Amino acid sequence: MMDALHPREILLGAQAGGQALPVCDHYSGVEARMRKSLQMQAELTEEFGACVVDVTLDCEDGAPVGQEVEHARLVASLASGAAATARVAARVHATDHPAFASDIDIIAGAAGQRLCHIMVPKVETVDDVVAAEKALLRAGATHLPLHVLIESPLAVSHAFEIASHPRVQSISFGLMDFVSSHGGAIPANAMTSQGQFAHPLVVRAKLEIAAACHAYGKVPSHCVVTEFTDPAAMQAAAQRASQELGYTRMWSIHPSQIRPILRAFAPALAEVEAAARILLAAQAAQWAPISHDGVLHDRASYRYYWQLLERAHYTGVALPSSVGHWFDVVTPLSHVTA
């Protein structure tokens, strides 16, 4: 019977096999900060009752030159020792970097069962995705999803083909490299929290990536905000990424950025409560069309409200007890606070 099925399976169909991701992806590459990030993730999970942030341990920017192998071993050790509830990823070097193969062999080979994904930077075409997938298979990480970072005009032109690859789970936009790859044609202001939403070439690239992701059921992840001492700028950028450009996830490069991201991507409590009422009424009607408060709802709007509840869960917003069992939540979660 349909009531026995989870709403996610009924409303999302084949897409229900995919995993909804936390809206924040936090990056760190220095050992002390990587350890602190994992501890912070555990504390946030306990506070919110759900994992609201991924932690990505960084080899590309974190490994000292000449010590790439040692750094990869450190990342593998930290990932292997993380708590069972942790969501830990690793960013390896680009596929054309001399350390790429050893990164995959060491990290995916030793800690593949503990990782939630591997992030591959500077992906230009789907050939880079294929190369990364082959490396994972050689390391025995047959299950591990790939997240990829698009950072150039060439890569943007291949966004849809890259998003179509079955191994790709999420695409991120690399703002700094994208701007610098234009040889001075885009001003430095386009790398700021406000300027990146104003320059047409940057906005076009962001929209192309978001559209490609949504076309293939993948997660678009927005780029960094470098002004990490300005939480208001961080939250404003996150709100624009979410509400204007269609992004459902965003990078954090400093602990102070995590809660502004959560707040910006979180639905309002009134929206959550309305979604719960509509979905419960839909379930009672065996998911047939209903009239709720004088408005017609059917599978299309049910799908929207289900995704809203998922986003609430992954941003720590309080879920009404009437739908908490859909997320294995016993008690309502607290709101994201400053």
Side-chain angles (χ1 to χ4, degrees):
M1 294 199 41
M2 296 184 74
D3 274 347
L5 295 176
H6 195 280
R8 181 171 172 79
E9 297 176 2
I10 294 171
L11 299 175
L12 301 189
Q15 295 182 28
Q19 185 173 10
L21 301 179
V23 300
C24 183
D25 190 7
H26 181 69
Y27 277 72
S28 56
V30 177
E31 180 176 0
R33 293 173 186 167
M34 290 192 289
R35 294 185 183 277
K36 182 177 179 181
S37 296
L38 291 170
Q39 178 60 37
M40 175 185 59
Q41 182 191 54
E43 292 169 355
L44 288 170
T45 299
E46 182 177 359
E47 176 182 349
F48 293 121
C51 184
V52 295
V53 57
D54 281 351
V55 169
T56 298
L57 308 178
D58 194 3
C59 290
E60 186 190 27
D61 289 340
V65 175
Q67 298 180 38
E68 289 86 358
V69 169
E70 291 81 359
H71 193 80
R73 288 173 178 159
L74 172 62
V75 166
S77 174
L78 291 174
S80 297
T85 56
R87 284 184 51 87
V88 187
R91 175 164 68 161
V92 298
H93 287 84
T95 57
D96 61 354
H97 191 282
F100 170 75
S102 60
D103 281 352
I104 295 291
D105 289 343
I106 293 169
I107 298 170
Q113 296 301 317
R114 284 297 300 113
L115 295 172
C116 55
H117 63 267
I118 289 284
M119 164 60 78
V120 181
K122 295 179 172 59
V123 167
E124 294 285 277
T125 70
V126 75
D127 290 341
D128 294 323
V129 178
V130 172
E133 181 180 42
K134 289 180 178 178
L136 286 179
L137 294 176
R138 287 194 298 269
T142 58
H143 68 290
L144 205 54
L146 287 173
H147 290 201
V148 302
L149 188 55
I150 283 182
E151 307 179 67
S152 74
L154 177 63
V156 170
S157 73
H158 291 120
F160 279 81
E161 187 180 10
I162 291 169
S164 73
H165 194 283
R167 179 76 62 159
V168 172
Q169 186 182 54
S170 175
I171 299 179
S172 294
F173 175 56
L175 172 67
M176 316 296 278
D177 281 274
F178 181 81
V179 171
S180 62
S181 70
H182 283 75
I186 300 178
N189 179 63
M191 294 186 284
T192 66
S193 61
Q194 294 186 19
Q196 64 176 280
F197 292 96
H199 196 282
L201 283 175
V202 175
V203 174
R204 171 185 172 274
K206 292 183 182 184
L207 290 173
E208 194 77 1
I209 291 168
C213 285
H214 290 301
Y216 289 99
K218 309 303 172 68
V219 176
S221 186
H222 195 266
C223 58
V224 299
V225 168
T226 56
E227 300 98 315
F228 60 83
T229 60
D230 188 346
M234 178 71 238
Q235 186 163 341
Q239 286 175 332
R240 297 194 70 177
S242 171
Q243 298 173 15
E244 297 177 16
L245 303 183
Y247 281 77
T248 57
R249 182 169 160 98
M250 188 165 183
W251 285 37
S252 160
I253 56 173
H254 190 275
S256 66
Q257 295 183 325
I258 294 175
R259 290 181 188 270
I261 290 173
L262 295 178
R263 287 194 294 268
F265 280 81
L269 182 57
E271 293 179 304
V272 174
E273 292 173 342
R277 291 193 298 270
I278 291 168
L279 290 174
L280 288 170
Q283 185 182 55
Q286 296 289 315
W287 306 101
I290 63 169
S291 173
H292 184 80
D293 290 340
V295 177
L296 176 66
H297 293 283
D298 59 15
R299 290 290 184 93
S301 57
Y302 299 159
R303 187 179 303 115
Y304 170 84
Y305 288 115
W306 171 253
Q307 291 166 335
L308 188 147
L309 286 186
E310 283 191 317
R311 184 156 44 92
H313 177 59
Y314 281 101
T315 50
V317 175
L319 290 173
S321 57
S322 57
V323 298
H325 62 284
W326 287 338
F327 299 89
D328 294 324
V329 176
V330 177
T331 56
L333 302 178
S334 60
H335 287 294
V336 178
T337 56

